[in-house]
Amino acid sequence: MSTSAEPGRTWPLVGRAAELDDLDDLLSTAADGVGVTVLLEGEAGVGKTSLVDALRGSARLLDVELRTAQATAMRGWPFALLSDALLVRSSGAGHGPGGSPVEAELADLLEAMHADPTGSIARYDRATELFAALLRRHGDLRPWALVLEDVHEADAPSLAVLLQLAHEGAVPRALVVLTMRPVPYRPELAELVAAWTRAGARYLELRPLNARATVELAENLVGGPVGPSLRGTLATTGGNPRLVADVVRTARAAGALVATDGVLDSTGSRWMDPLDEVVRRRVEYLGPEVLELLGQASVLGTSFVIADLASLAGDPVADCWRTLRHGLAAGVVRARGDRLVFGHDLVREALYNGLDAEQRRALHARAAWALRQAGAPTQIVTGHLERAR
Ligand SMILES: Nc1ncnc2c1ncn2[C@@H]1O[C@H](COP(=O)(O)OP(=O)(O)OP(=O)(O)O)[C@@H](O)[C@H]1O
Ligand SMILES: [Mg+2]
């Protein structure tokens, strides 16, 4: 199954020259017959899919077969991820009993599992063994590349196969790329990452775009230079390309993009509510508990001291850390000592604006109290008291 590009992709990718070079080098290494594994991790929307999509062209040039599959929690049936990658041809035609004996046996086993999901352990073990063999031998004839996307959502049996392979070292004559978000945390994924790390896998953390690349992406999307007001909003995206695309798309859809002397800029504020809604949907995957705490944190500002959030929330500091750990791993907040900083002010604003008026006033009142206790300057405390009215 191939992954399809989201609207908003511009080509070539901005700000990713080094990462593209790295991947191309690794693909050439695999094309020379050496197995390489890459763990590509990055926050939601940072550009993992876009980057691995770029491998298509290089694979074609190097005549390396490319197999890709994307895990989704919806398709959680056993071995879904590996079946998609290995048993279905890129044309979409089923492989079925027409393939090699191993593939035929696997097809039978999977069918039996579907029919009777509570079936014998022996069936799972056999399928694990066969998938591992298939992966190991796939490159016998020619080198290949395997991209498994979003392994944080992968079915557990597929992860078990990948774990077994890790214990044996890189897949021969293959570039294997596993992409993942740091959240949700799954122990079986952590185990897999550790095993591949021990097996010498390369870890590539895809970071947000820098300020220049952020503006360049927006300019590519709107098709010309962008003005100061739109740049202001872009600066709150924390360099996340998906949020950049959201900003541009929402402004355009609301008719808020105006060209003056060839420069496109946003005007008015009627696109702000729809933008907040889009952004809130983007972080929904963090779950209600994390979002509630982050919503409370949004009252404290872009950066805040964790102890102040704890007294605002009325919870022990340790509990706050435990909850916020997920927000931290997701990059929504970043730690600076005992302070936390929102990674994307756009997200903070969307969460703040998502609080209902009553709740917001109550939180400002509590913030005033908590900050006064902690010795914050009068002016800051007064600011909260004003918004508590
Ligand atoms: N370097 C880039 N240049 C231009 N557009 C980009 C770049 N990186 C990402 N995009 C665009 O940003 C959006 C999100 O990118 P992408 O889907 O690749 O992120 P992801 O990391 O795979 O996200 P997810 O965690 O949801 O899988 C897409 O519209 C994509 O086309
Ligand atoms: Mg993706």
Side-chain angles (χ1 to χ4, degrees):
M1 194 176 81
S2 70
T3 51
S4 55
E6 277 183 26
R9 169 89 49 88
T10 65
W11 198 259
L13 296 178
V14 303
R16 295 295 190 220
E19 290 84 352
L20 286 167
D21 279 354
D22 264 5
L23 272 188
D24 276 350
D25 279 352
L26 294 170
L27 188 67
S28 310
T29 308
D32 290 340
V34 180
V36 196
T37 310
V38 179
L39 308 170
L40 179 66
E41 187 172 59
E43 67 180 47
V46 79
K48 301 177 291 297
T49 298
S50 307
L51 192 67
V52 294
D53 266 0
L55 272 176
R56 259 168 234 292
S58 323
R60 218 173 297 125
L61 286 176
L62 291 168
D63 195 27
V64 169
E65 184 200 9
L66 177 65
R67 293 283 185 118
T68 67
Q70 181 174 19
T72 57
M74 319 273 264
R75 287 159 57 76
W77 42 271
F79 303 103
L81 180 61
L82 292 180
S83 302
D84 282 352
L86 297 170
L87 299 184
V88 179
R89 290 219 176 278
S90 43
S91 67
H95 218 267
S100 68
V102 172
E103 285 165 79
E105 189 183 343
L106 267 174
D108 287 345
L109 276 170
L110 293 174
E111 205 169 298
M113 281 178 203
H114 283 199
D116 173 19
T118 57
S120 72
I121 302 258
R123 234 182 245 149
Y124 278 86
D125 288 349
R126 179 69 183 150
T128 304
E129 197 182 311
L130 290 177
F131 269 118
L134 207 57
L135 280 158
R136 260 193 308 272
R137 286 196 230 128
H138 193 92
D140 281 357
L141 295 180
R142 66 181 177 118
W144 65 305
L146 173 67
V147 175
L148 297 175
E149 273 241 71
D150 300 337
V151 291
H152 55 278
E153 298 206 0
D155 62 280
S158 289
L159 293 180
V161 174
L162 295 170
L163 179 66
Q164 183 173 321
L165 284 171
H167 292 312
E168 295 160 16
V171 177
R173 296 154 64 80
L175 167 65
V176 177
V177 182
L178 308 180
T179 72
M180 67 198 90
R181 289 182 183 178
V183 167
Y185 175 84
R186 283 176 64 190
E188 62 266 52
L189 183 61
E191 192 187 355
L192 179 69
V193 167
W196 274 114
T197 303
R198 284 185 204 111
R202 288 274 304 261
Y203 174 79
L204 228 142
E205 187 190 349
L206 201 55
R207 300 192 155 274
L209 301 175
N210 62 28
R212 200 160 41 86
T214 300
V215 172
E216 190 184 335
L217 173 54
E219 295 190 328
N220 289 350
L221 290 171
V222 301
V226 298
S229 170
L230 189 56
R231 278 172 189 254
T233 308
L234 290 168
T236 67
T237 61
N240 182 295
R242 181 173 289 140
L243 293 178
V244 171
D246 284 339
V247 165
V248 170
R249 201 177 315 124
T250 312
R252 187 187 278 145
L257 279 189
V258 176
T260 316
D261 299 331
V263 176
L264 276 143
D265 208 354
S266 53
T267 58
S269 58
R270 67 183 174 282
W271 61 293
M272 290 299 166
D273 283 345
L275 180 61
D276 281 343
E277 263 164 51
V278 170
V279 171
R280 280 197 295 271
R281 274 204 302 280
R282 294 297 189 201
V283 292
E284 250 167 25
Y285 74 98
L286 292 170
E289 203 193 345
V290 178
L291 289 178
E292 193 195 341
L293 192 57
L294 287 174
Q296 294 172 327
S298 74
V299 170
L300 290 171
T302 302
S303 72
F304 55 92
V305 177
I306 189 99
D308 297 344
L309 175 62
S311 36
L312 173 69
D315 287 328
V317 169
D319 287 7
C320 285
W321 271 120
R322 203 166 304 125
T323 305
L324 280 184
R325 222 182 37 209
H326 304 285
L328 278 162
V332 174
V333 278
R334 296 178 185 148
R336 301 277 180 276
D338 61 353
R339 276 183 320 125
L340 291 180
V341 184
F342 275 90
H344 328 80
D345 214 38
L346 191 64
V347 172
R348 184 193 72 83
E349 278 167 27
L351 292 174
Y352 183 80
N353 295 332
L355 300 168
D356 71 58
E358 189 60 29
Q359 198 184 5
R360 192 181 311 151
R361 278 196 292 273
L363 284 169
H364 276 298
R366 285 188 69 89
W369 170 81
L371 290 169
R372 185 184 295 129
Q373 294 287 313
T378 317
Q379 176 199 350
I380 300 288
V381 175
T382 313
H384 282 289
L385 284 176
E386 272 162 16
R387 273 172 285 171
R389 277 199 220 110

